[in-house]
Amino acid sequence: MTRFTLLALAAAVVAGCGSEPLRRVDALTPTPAPLEVSEHTARQALAAAPICCERIDQLPYQPIKADFSGDVVIDTSAPAYAFDSGKSFFRAFALPVDSKSFEIRLYSQAGDTVLAPSAMLLDADFRITRLLDADDFTYVPASGMKGDSLDARLRIDRLYRDNPNNERYLVLFTSEAQMDGQTTLVHPAKAYAEALGNEPPAVPDPVAQHAPTGIIKMVLIEDRVAGQEANTYVPAYSTGREMGATLPAVPAPSVLPETQAYYRQAIDAALAEKDLERALRLADEAARVGDSGAKAYLLEHIQIK
């Protein structure tokens, strides 16, 4: 068994990771064993569990550090909440405030059952900014020291750490629709044969039933390059469809004079440093929070200069 494990690890690292270096790190990172709770038992416990809170801002948010790496256990002792997508056990986290941009990796461990996760991100005022669900979590077969799991990666981008629209909270849970599904896993013998370039044996693949409980390996990886800044996603307040519920269309709130002045000064500073890319990102961010004149301001000052 030891020889088989070492050969599988070597094969996975050599054969399966060339196109994506980060997968090599995943394969060498041990992940926890899946929870040994039957789907039926977990569903009964969820039905009997009391609702912990009335509002999303009342959830028990656990502070975590920028170098967090640990196992998030969502079992029958976890609190339950009536999300718009259905009642679910959950774990809630307060993301590091004073950190630069960072990546969050999530690995929901699969065995006889698996928790098909949803991940909700909220800003400082507990407004939903993003919701990751079944379309965002991908099944990844066991590789090296990493077991079968449903994986997702997301970035928390922070151009300015004091921006009130920064994503500050993370909630991990599941939905009624996801609990009704299942995930077909790759049989270990097939994975081993494919890693070695051999013909996979004709054996049936195991199936993991989706359940309301599970264990998720969560890793935070902070940007460590000096001077590196956010360059992709900048969250705004959430509007439209949230958690499967259709919200009425409402006009964007008028921007406060202080917020407008903040972005004007930041754009001026970026132009003074001849950093046009940064100035463009600031103008885009300002527009997302309601400052519709930010882009015109930028164009005007580029023409002047």
Side-chain angles (χ1 to χ4, degrees), residues 127-140:
R127 297 175 297 194
I128 299 172
T129 58
R130 281 188 284 176
L131 179 63
L132 282 68
D133 54 20
D135 293 334
D136 302 288
F137 283 83
T138 303
Y139 166 63
V140 178

Side-chain angles (χ1 to χ4, degrees), residues 15 52 62 88 90 97 120 140-141 146 151 159 162 191 199 245 269 276 279 284 295:
C52 75
Q62 173 189 350
S88 174
F90 72 90
V97 176
M120 186 192 334
V140 178
K146 175 185 174 298
D151 297 1
L159 186 59
D162 58 349
E199 183 70 21
L276 182 57
D284 286 338
K295 292 184 178 179

Side-chain angles (χ1 to χ4, degrees), residues 236-260:
Y237 61 87
S238 181
T239 59
R241 293 184 62 83
E242 297 173 350
M243 307 288 292
T246 302
L247 302 182
V250 294
S254 57
V255 65
L256 294 174
E258 295 85 352
T259 302
Q260 188 178 64

Side-chain angles (χ1 to χ4, degrees), residues 156-169:
I156 305 297
D157 281 339
R158 292 176 175 169
L159 186 59
Y160 290 99
R161 298 180 187 177
D162 58 349
N163 187 338
N165 294 296
N166 284 343
E167 290 170 317
R168 299 286 182 85
Y169 302 98

Side-chain angles (χ1 to χ4, degrees), residues 15-240:
C17 305
S19 60
E20 188 180 356
L22 287 176
R23 284 296 177 200
R24 183 178 296 110
V25 177
D26 292 346
L28 295 174
T29 302
T31 51
L35 288 183
E36 295 183 358
V37 179
S38 71
E39 178 197 3
H40 179 69
T41 300
R43 284 183 178 272
Q44 284 187 322
L46 177 60
I51 301 299
C52 75
C53 319
E54 294 182 357
R55 303 190 313 270
I56 205 76
D57 61 326
Q58 297 174 337
L59 302 186
Y61 292 94
Q62 173 189 350
I64 54 175
K65 297 181 180 180
D67 59 351
F68 177 87
S69 177
D71 302 333
V72 179
V73 180
I74 303 179
D75 57 11
T76 56
S77 68
Y81 183 74
F83 297 92
D84 288 349
S85 57
K87 184 181 180 183
S88 174
F89 293 121
F90 72 90
R91 296 294 182 186
F93 302 94
L95 299 174
V97 176
D98 297 327
S99 174
K100 293 190 292 185
S101 301
F102 53 90
E103 180 182 274
I104 300 177
R105 300 185 191 178
L106 301 168
Y107 314 93
S108 184
Q109 303 306 300
D112 292 336
T113 63
V114 62
L115 175 75
S118 291
M120 186 192 334
L121 290 147
L122 306 101
D123 66 11
D125 294 322
F126 298 95
R127 297 175 297 194
I128 299 172
T129 58
R130 281 188 284 176
L131 179 63
L132 282 68
D133 54 20
D135 293 334
D136 302 288
F137 283 83
T138 303
Y139 166 63
V140 178
S143 176
M145 300 170 68
K146 175 185 174 298
D148 293 279
S149 57
L150 300 178
D151 297 1
R153 296 181 181 184
L154 56 144
R155 277 190 57 79
I156 305 297
D157 281 339
R158 292 176 175 169
L159 186 59
Y160 290 99
R161 298 180 187 177
D162 58 349
N163 187 338
N165 294 296
N166 284 343
E167 290 170 317
R168 299 286 182 85
Y169 302 98
L170 170 68
V171 184
L172 300 177
F173 61 105
T174 189
S175 67
E176 288 184 356
Q178 288 168 284
M179 281 189 282
D180 290 336
Q182 61 183 26
T183 296
T184 301
L185 313 180
V186 175
H187 194 285
K190 289 183 178 179
Y192 179 61
E194 290 175 355
L196 295 177
N198 299 329
E199 183 70 21
V203 293
D205 290 320
V207 174
Q209 297 295 329
H210 292 181
T213 57
I215 183 166
I216 301 173
K217 175 81 172 182
M218 181 166 71
V219 180
L220 272 63
I221 303 174
E222 188 178 23
D223 290 349
R224 299 186 182 278
V225 180
Q228 183 170 346
E229 295 176 334
N231 56 12
T232 54
Y233 178 81
V234 180
Y237 61 87
S238 181
T239 59

